[in-house]
Amino acid sequence: MRKMFLVAGLTAAFMLLVVAASAEKTSFAGTWGLDKTKSQGLSQRMMGADKVTLTITQDDKTISLDTKVEGGQPAGGGGGGMGGGRPPAGPTTYNLDGHEVTSDVTFGQNTGKRTLKATMSGGTLELMNKTSFTGPDGTERVNATTQKLSLAGDGKTLTVLTHREGGQQPTPDSTAVYNKQ
């Protein structure tokens, strides 16, 4: 009887390791096209665009996201990234080891700090992008965006849940659905 419990316990532990290992190896890499009919809370810029493409490159150590918005009206306000206002200029790269990366950033005449962090949990990738800077009136301002990326079981649909704090976006939460191209 003890052997049976021991074998069952070892089998369960092995299965947990297999599941954890497979979740850690989720790849979001590819070129993704925004499906506006399935998305919610997108900025006017994203909704008015002719085409929105998200390109993700990923290796064992990093993941980079680059959003390209084509057509439509020019960007009107802050925000950024997938589902927000104006997309960032060029790709944003996160380390996949869970450590924060901080860099200096410039906004016109203001300078600040940007902190990026990525964490993987059960097949969902959470990306945190926080920018702090001192405004013209001398007060510290913080804009933070958290995005949760998840793939459908077939790997052909990417859902990005975005939550923003700070800034001037009219909608702090959005859901962007992308189809693999």
Side-chain angles (χ1 to χ4, degrees):
M1 190 68 142
R2 286 185 187 183
K3 281 186 181 182
M4 189 179 339
F5 282 124
L6 179 62
V7 169
L10 289 173
T11 302
F14 176 73
M15 294 303 287
L16 284 173
L17 286 173
V18 169
V19 169
S22 66
E24 293 298 323
K25 294 181 183 178
T26 300
S27 177
F28 296 91
T31 302
W32 303 89
L34 179 66
D35 185 340
K36 291 188 265 185
T37 63
K38 295 180 182 175
S39 300
Q40 300 175 14
L42 300 178
S43 70
Q44 290 179 350
R45 168 92 168 120
M46 298 284 275
M47 288 302 294
D50 296 330
K51 182 178 181 182
V52 178
T53 305
L54 170 62
T55 303
I56 300 176
T57 55
Q58 180 178 351
D59 59 31
D60 290 341
K61 295 180 181 181
T62 62
I63 187 166
S64 295
L65 296 89
D66 192 11
T67 303
K68 183 177 181 184
V69 180
E70 299 176 47
Q73 297 298 315
M82 304 162 290
R86 182 174 47 235
T92 303
T93 302
Y94 298 82
N95 287 336
L96 291 173
D97 63 5
H99 289 93
E100 290 184 354
V101 175
T102 302
S103 60
D104 292 327
V105 290
T106 303
F107 309 97
Q109 296 179 359
N110 298 320
T111 59
K113 297 277 185 200
R114 173 180 284 162
T115 303
L116 303 174
K117 183 177 181 180
T119 53
M120 180 74 80
S121 176
T124 299
L125 178 64
E126 184 172 307
L127 304 175
M128 185 271 302
N129 183 337
K130 182 171 79 173
T131 305
S132 60
F133 61 96
T134 302
D137 60 358
T139 60
E140 183 178 18
R141 299 180 187 200
V142 177
N143 296 329
T145 302
T146 302
Q147 298 171 313
K148 293 183 180 182
L149 286 68
S150 59
L151 290 173
D154 63 3
K156 295 181 181 178
T157 304
L158 171 67
T159 302
V160 181
L161 303 176
T162 303
H163 174 73
R164 290 174 204 73
E165 294 179 10
Q168 299 176 353
Q169 69 282 347
T171 307
D173 297 316
S174 65
T175 301
V177 178
Y178 294 87
N179 297 313
K180 193 149 197 175
Q181 298 183 338

